[in-house]
Amino acid sequence: MVKGDHLMVWRGSGEEDSLEGFWHHGIDCGDGTVVHYVGIDGVKSMSQGRIGRTPFAEFQFTSERVHTVKYRPETVRFTPEQ
């Protein structure tokens, strides 16, 4: 993973893509941190939350895998520096 990558991890008790969870998204900052929705009381809150920058391990939480979303080059609008 590199700076600017769109990351996603599975949150839930079921298998990935099951009805017992959801995909959580973030952006890799390139320094071991991720910008993502962090809620009010950490990653567990689902309402009235905020966007924050946390260590990668907090973003990954209990997910076994971290996926990098791939985009076609012609759809990329910004560089990681932007």
Side-chain angles (χ1 to χ4, degrees):
M1 290 170 274
V2 297
K3 182 178 181 178
D5 275 354
H6 175 181
L7 308 176
M8 54 187 234
V9 294
W10 183 250
R11 294 270 198 269
S13 58
E15 295 291 318
E16 289 183 358
D17 286 332
S18 72
L19 296 176
E20 300 167 5
F22 61 95
W23 287 104
H24 183 62
H25 299 260
I27 303 295
D28 188 335
C29 294
D31 62 357
T33 63
V34 178
V35 173
H36 62 110
Y37 177 81
V38 295
I40 294 172
D41 57 354
V43 274
K44 298 175 191 161
S45 177
M46 289 296 296
S47 63
Q48 299 179 6
R50 62 182 179 81
I51 303 298
R53 186 174 186 168
T54 65
F56 182 83
E58 185 175 325
F59 170 75
Q60 186 174 4
F61 197 46
T62 59
S63 298
E64 293 180 17
R65 301 185 319 175
V66 178
H67 300 272
T68 301
V69 178
K70 301 294 183 191
Y71 294 93
R72 294 189 326 263
E74 65 271 16
T75 65
V76 176
R77 304 272 190 250
F78 301 100
T79 67
E81 289 74 30
Q82 292 173 312

